[in-house]
């Protein structure tokens, strides 16, 4: 399996990626907001995504977004093709996109919203901590991205203080406290339930 930072060579997979995002979210009844083909093309072309392939087939995908003038970074849209699930692909992709976020935006806080236990475990190993929603970006554009989620009404009724997703946050300065450098975790959770995974 090859896991690469995206480029124009990966645009051949964009329709398949978008369709699987939609199908998986429908099956689960939850998930992140739907993204347009144009939006995904932009992320892939700019190198702001990670694409996993095997023998020319698309395996998985995840992209990064920045908010609040680069103070926050989100790893979004983590998805694994049904054919390649339960092989630990989500963990490998998440590790790669997390490192891409840290390389591009070393001083930014990295956050995610997820309903998936597997992603919570992956995030925890990467150094994320559960937080309340007020600790995340308050950028209106980010929250507008939730409008296509089936749970958007719940989010608004709760005045954006909470929803069905768990908020998790990685704070860069926490990795060097007491002189301890952050290291990537060992790959585990090979039996994780990989479907449409918010991150």
């Amino acid at each position: 399996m090859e896991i690469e930072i995206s480029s124009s060579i990966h645009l051949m997979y964009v329709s398949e990626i978008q369709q699987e995002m939609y199908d998986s979210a429908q099956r689960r009844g939850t998930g992140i907001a739907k993204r347009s083909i144009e939006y995904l093309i932009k992320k892939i072309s700019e190198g702001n995504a990670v694409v996993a392939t095997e023998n020319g087939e698309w395996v998985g995908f995840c992209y990064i977004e920045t908010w609040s003038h680069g103070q926050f970074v989100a790893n979004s849209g983590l998805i694994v093709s049904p054919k390649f699930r339960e092989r630990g692909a989500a963990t490998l992709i998440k590790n790669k996109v997390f490192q891409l976020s840290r390389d591009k935006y070393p001083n930014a806080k990295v956050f995610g919203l997820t309903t998936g236990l597997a992603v919570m475990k992956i995030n925890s190993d990467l150094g994320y901590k559960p937080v309340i929603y007020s600790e995340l970006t308050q950028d209106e554009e980010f929250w507008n991205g939730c409008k296509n989620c089936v749970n958007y009404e719940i989010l608004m009724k709760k005045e954006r203080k909470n929803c069905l997703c768990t908020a998790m946050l990685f704070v860069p300065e926490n990795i060097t406290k007491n002189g301890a450098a952050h290291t990537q975790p060992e790959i585990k959770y090979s039996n994780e339930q990989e479907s449409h995974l918010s991150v």
Side-chain angles (χ1 to χ4, degrees), residues 68-125:
S68 303
H69 306 289
Q71 295 178 51
F72 289 87
V73 178
N75 301 153
S76 301
L78 177 61
I79 185 74
V80 175
S81 170
K83 180 178 177 180
F84 295 96
R85 289 176 188 162
E86 299 188 16
R87 288 177 45 183
T91 303
L92 294 168
I93 293 165
K94 187 65 166 65
N95 287 349
K96 183 78 170 181
V97 79
F98 177 79
Q99 192 56 56
L100 177 62
S101 300
R102 297 284 296 121
D103 289 345
K104 282 199 165 192
Y105 306 98
N107 299 316
K109 295 178 180 179
V110 188
F111 74 97
L113 289 169
T114 184
T115 57
L117 179 60
V119 173
M120 291 180 204
K121 289 177 179 177
I122 296 168
N123 285 350
S124 180
D125 272 3

Side-chain angles (χ1 to χ4, degrees), residues 9 22 49 78 90 94 122 133 160 188 190:
I9 66 171
Y22 176 78
L78 177 61
K94 187 65 166 65
I122 296 168
Y133 280 26
R160 292 195 333 207
K188 36 189 172 178
S190 60

